Amino acid sequence: MQPKKVLISGSSGLIGSALTRSFQSDGVDVSRLVRRQPQSESEVNWDPDRKPLDPQVLEGVDVVINLNGASIGHLPWTSKYRALLRSSRINPTRTLATALREKVGSVPKFVSASAVGFYGARPGEQLDETSAPGTTFLAQLCVAWEKEALSAGERAKVAVFRTAPLLHPQATLKPLIPLTRLGVSGPLGGGRQLWSWISLDDEVRAIRYIINHDIEGPVNLSGPAPASANQIGQELARQLRRPYFLPVPAWALRLVIGRDAADSLLAEVVALPTVLRETGFGYSHPTVEDAIHDALATKD
């Protein structure tokens, strides 16, 4: 059932902005948590790094959606930026979970972001929502992130959605598009590593699907089938009518953008959308070709 009112943290990001527009187009009342002075009645100021959120803010809200987190696309991952990746996820999630636990009366559903990075690097494995976490920095960050969300308490229904890399000009494709247009794109490492992926449109639709179908627990938000890094790069080059030939060896990638960030690009992660598939979710962009075509056509 579609909610009447939602509260979103991280509404100014890529996913948050698209999700807000989607809800508003269907007449859903959207309130947004912001760290600046509110500019409308739909905005609520908060400071999750320094003070708690008044549970009264949750009154009348059907669903709280947590999308906070500094971009993993910012390179390199210095020790200072790794600390920001962690605090920008843990602090807001903990603050929201605490407010949900302390709320008197009915409690909104809590839908909180995570990532398929939860599984770490798992070449040759097909992973679903029951698979164990990995051991990489990003995997352990996702474990801690989800633990905070699940602490919302027994009265709150909680779903954590593990997002695959978004095939979008402001996400996974951001560094690839200009290189491809310059004609200097090619395999990253060997290029044979398999990636899960999803389009922005299907990401938004899947989040709303989780809410409308009252799904709880972890949910992989990924396309129907993985693709190799080469398949994604080659398809991008084909649609931009540019060559794809210049390989970037793993050692060079690690030297330029740092080990943690490079290893996330070189890692093979096949996170199957088992929950979405078994509950009947339908994709707008079921193939890499569809997703990249839509990404290159978008004006967002």
Side-chain angles (χ1 to χ4, degrees):
M1 180 180 295
Q2 179 168 281
K4 294 181 179 179
K5 183 174 183 178
V6 299
L7 177 68
I8 303 179
S9 69
S11 63
S12 63
L14 176 61
I15 296 171
S17 297
L19 186 61
T20 297
R21 290 193 299 270
S22 177
F23 276 128
Q24 290 175 336
S25 68
D26 286 341
V28 177
D29 184 0
V30 179
S31 291
R32 295 174 289 172
L33 291 168
V34 298
R35 298 179 190 240
R36 52 171 170 73
Q37 186 68 26
Q39 297 176 352
S40 69
E41 292 183 356
S42 67
E43 295 184 341
V44 179
N45 176 258
W46 76 328
D47 188 354
D49 295 326
R50 295 181 177 84
K51 61 184 181 181
L53 179 68
D54 185 348
Q56 284 296 317
V57 170
L58 307 179
E59 198 63 42
V61 173
D62 299 309
V63 184
V64 176
I65 304 169
N66 176 33
L67 298 169
N68 278 281
S71 172
I72 63 172
H74 179 91
L75 303 173
W77 291 358
T78 62
S79 58
K80 182 178 180 180
Y81 197 71
R82 286 197 296 271
L84 178 61
L85 287 171
R86 182 176 177 84
S87 64
S88 64
R89 286 163 171 77
I90 300 301
N91 293 352
T93 308
R94 179 179 296 160
T95 299
L96 287 169
T98 300
L100 286 161
R101 286 198 309 272
E102 295 177 349
K103 186 179 183 306
V104 176
S106 62
V107 181
K109 183 180 177 69
F110 189 31
V111 180
S112 189
S114 184
V116 297
F118 174 92
Y119 303 107
R122 309 282 280 274
E125 294 186 57
Q126 292 193 339
L127 308 161
D128 65 15
E129 289 85 354
T130 65
S131 299
T135 59
T136 62
F137 165 77
L138 187 55
Q140 292 305 300
L141 173 55
C142 288
V143 169
W145 194 8
E146 293 185 13
K147 182 179 179 181
E148 294 294 344
L150 294 170
S151 75
E154 294 182 359
R155 294 188 301 134
K157 293 181 178 180
V158 181
V160 288
F161 56 93
R162 297 170 180 164
T163 297
L166 286 169
L167 293 185
H168 189 276
Q170 294 180 33
T172 305
L173 299 181
K174 186 173 183 177
L176 301 181
I177 289 174
L179 289 175
T180 302
R181 282 181 170 150
L182 288 171
V184 293
S185 65
L188 299 175
R192 293 181 295 276
Q193 63 272 29
L194 293 175
W195 291 346
S196 293
W197 55 273
I198 193 168
S199 71
L200 178 61
D201 181 60
D202 281 330
E203 170 83 5
V204 168
R205 293 178 60 253
I207 294 171
R208 295 192 61 176
Y209 183 87
I210 291 169
I211 294 168
N212 293 349
H213 289 75
D214 208 24
I215 295 171
E216 297 180 57
V219 185
N220 290 338
L221 267 54
S222 57
S228 70
N230 274 342
Q231 286 175 306
I232 291 173
Q234 288 168 348
E235 182 59 29
L236 179 62
R238 187 187 71 80
Q239 294 197 28
L240 290 174
R241 299 181 181 179
R242 305 299 293 162
Y244 181 84
F245 71 95
L246 188 66
V248 181
W251 66 264
L253 198 62
R254 292 188 178 103
L255 182 65
V256 173
I257 66 175
R259 177 170 293 276
D260 285 330
D263 287 350
S264 70
L265 290 175
L266 297 170
E268 177 166 303
V269 182
V270 177
L272 302 175
T274 302
V275 172
L276 290 181
R277 184 174 59 215
E278 291 182 349
T279 57
F281 179 75
Y283 289 88
S284 292
H285 305 112
T287 68
V288 164
E289 292 84 355
D290 294 333
I292 290 178
H293 182 270
D294 182 69
L296 294 178
T298 186
K299 296 181 179 179
D300 292 335

